[in-house]
Amino acid sequence: ATLREPYGLSPPDAPSHLGRRLPLEVLARTGLARTGEEGGAAALAFTGHLRRRDGEDLLVLITRPSLPPERLRGAVATLQAPLERAALLDDLRVQGERLARRGEVLQDLVYAFSHDLRTPLLANSMNMRAALRGAYGPLPETYRAALDNGLEANTELLALADQLLLLAKYESGEPGGERREVKLRDLTLGVIGQLTERAGARGVVFEPELDGVSVHGLAHDLRRAVQNLLENAVKFSPPGGTVRVTLRGHGDEAVLSVTDEGPGVPPAREATLFGRFRGGGAGGGTGLGLYLTRQIADAHGGTVSYARTARAQSVLTLTLPRAGAG
């Protein structure tokens, strides 16, 4: 009931009411009330209440009003909307700060998980390869097959750790790294060479038709984007299928298309194909690969899209600005 800053304000050319305790008559009602005697005359004040989200109302006090109470009530009522907007903005600010803190914690956890996961996986892969080379003597074929399966599982987990680490960087808006000219043809051929053995185990073959096209960006990230597209095609190609990889330059753009003969994506799920943790059809699994590819494409000023051809083939297309374009 005492006027204090910042809620108690007085014009510089008027007597200050700060520190003044309001009489009960003013606090108990809304509208005109007597506040005392000034210069031998009754002093009037108009009071109004503004509701706040925390339940503590604000008191509006207008001393010596010259307008009728109806006009004053309308004037005070106009303050309610901006007060509620201010309270809403305060809530949004607090929630934003809370989400930012949670995001930082999650990002740190992903970094730690990715780094800590790689060390034992690499050590395990090294031991299994040594065993397959005969470092521990002859091995039964069934055990060699088990080691091969273990190596393949390790490879997938290492790829997942790499994608999580890269995704955390893009989600934070700081992918980092020095951008330079990247020869997309050489990069794609390198990925094809890396995946040829895995594709061959399923009877899948690559048919590359690649023009010499360069883009400007982060080589490691672009390699991951291309690898995600090719791994997706190999995974969903039928045994004995063909994955056609084409790279062309169209004006200021480099267009990489990956075509496979897999079952494709149900129309109802096409809209969420490049989202996080979507499942089913092409791009299944962890639900991170195509989402990360889209993030990388966006960060490089490009796009990634999906289409189904009349010949029942699935086509994933990565489009990037060519180096020197624009």
Side-chain angles (χ1 to χ4, degrees):
T2 302
L3 294 178
R4 303 187 185 279
E5 291 182 317
Y7 302 116
L9 303 175
S10 293
D13 58 346
S16 175
H17 295 284
L18 295 180
R20 173 185 173 187
R21 186 170 182 82
L22 298 176
L24 180 62
E25 185 179 12
V26 171
L27 297 173
R29 53 173 295 179
T30 298
L32 285 175
R34 296 181 182 275
T35 61
E37 299 291 331
E38 291 187 5
L44 297 178
F46 179 87
T47 57
H49 290 271
L50 294 173
R51 296 182 306 277
R52 289 206 303 177
R53 295 164 65 92
D54 58 9
E56 296 183 4
D57 290 353
L58 291 181
L59 178 66
V60 179
L61 175 65
I62 302 175
T63 58
R64 289 175 295 180
S66 59
L67 295 176
E70 292 74 15
R71 296 278 300 278
L72 292 173
R73 290 191 185 92
V76 171
T78 61
L79 299 176
Q80 186 65 52
L83 180 66
E84 292 176 353
R85 285 197 297 270
L88 179 59
L89 290 174
D90 281 343
D91 288 347
L92 291 175
R93 176 183 55 78
V94 171
Q95 293 176 16
E97 293 173 352
R98 187 180 298 119
L99 289 174
R101 288 194 296 270
R102 289 179 181 175
E104 291 175 359
V105 171
L106 290 176
Q107 182 176 331
D108 290 343
L109 287 175
V110 170
Y111 281 142
F113 171 76
S114 300
H115 283 297
D116 293 346
L117 184 64
R118 292 181 66 84
T119 301
L121 287 175
L122 288 171
N124 197 29
S125 295
M126 186 181 303
N127 289 330
M128 286 190 286
R129 289 193 178 93
L132 288 170
R133 289 195 301 267
Y136 308 112
L139 300 174
E141 285 303 315
T142 53
Y143 189 53
R144 295 181 67 87
L147 289 177
D148 284 331
N149 291 334
L151 275 174
E152 183 176 353
N154 266 22
T155 300
E156 292 181 358
L157 286 173
L158 283 169
L160 175 59
D162 181 68
Q163 292 201 99
L164 284 173
L165 187 60
L166 193 57
L167 184 59
K169 293 179 180 179
Y170 274 89
E171 289 285 358
S172 68
E174 300 176 357
E178 181 181 355
R179 301 201 173 201
R180 59 182 177 83
E181 184 175 339
V182 179
K183 295 182 178 179
L184 205 53
R185 180 180 184 276
D186 294 345
L187 184 149
T188 304
L189 285 174
V191 175
I192 290 175
Q194 179 183 346
L195 298 178
T196 295
E197 183 177 353
R198 190 187 311 180
R202 302 188 68 251
V204 176
V205 297
F206 289 107
E207 283 189 358
E209 297 179 12
L210 310 176
D211 291 344
V213 181
S214 295
V215 298
H216 190 74
L218 303 171
H220 174 270
D221 298 8
L222 291 172
R223 181 182 181 86
R224 168 50 63 187
V226 173
Q227 184 172 334
N228 286 345
L229 297 182
L230 295 183
E231 285 179 339
N232 186 82
V234 170
K235 181 177 181 178
F236 291 98
S237 289
T242 298
V243 175
R244 187 166 178 259
V245 187
T246 63
L247 175 61
R248 300 284 186 266
H250 292 292
D252 293 339
E253 295 179 331
V255 181
L256 177 74
S257 295
V258 180
T259 305
D260 66 72
E261 301 164 344
V265 180
R269 293 187 177 178
E270 287 188 20
T272 60
L273 178 61
F274 297 99
R276 279 181 297 186
F277 307 117
R278 74 280 168 278
T286 63
L288 291 177
L290 293 183
Y291 174 73
L292 179 57
T293 298
R294 190 191 71 180
Q295 295 285 89
I296 295 172
D298 290 345
H300 286 77
T303 61
V304 61
S305 61
Y306 168 82
R308 190 73 174 165
T309 70
R311 299 175 60 185
Q313 295 174 317
S314 294
V315 184
L316 285 165
T317 302
L318 175 64
T319 303
L320 297 166
R322 294 180 67 173

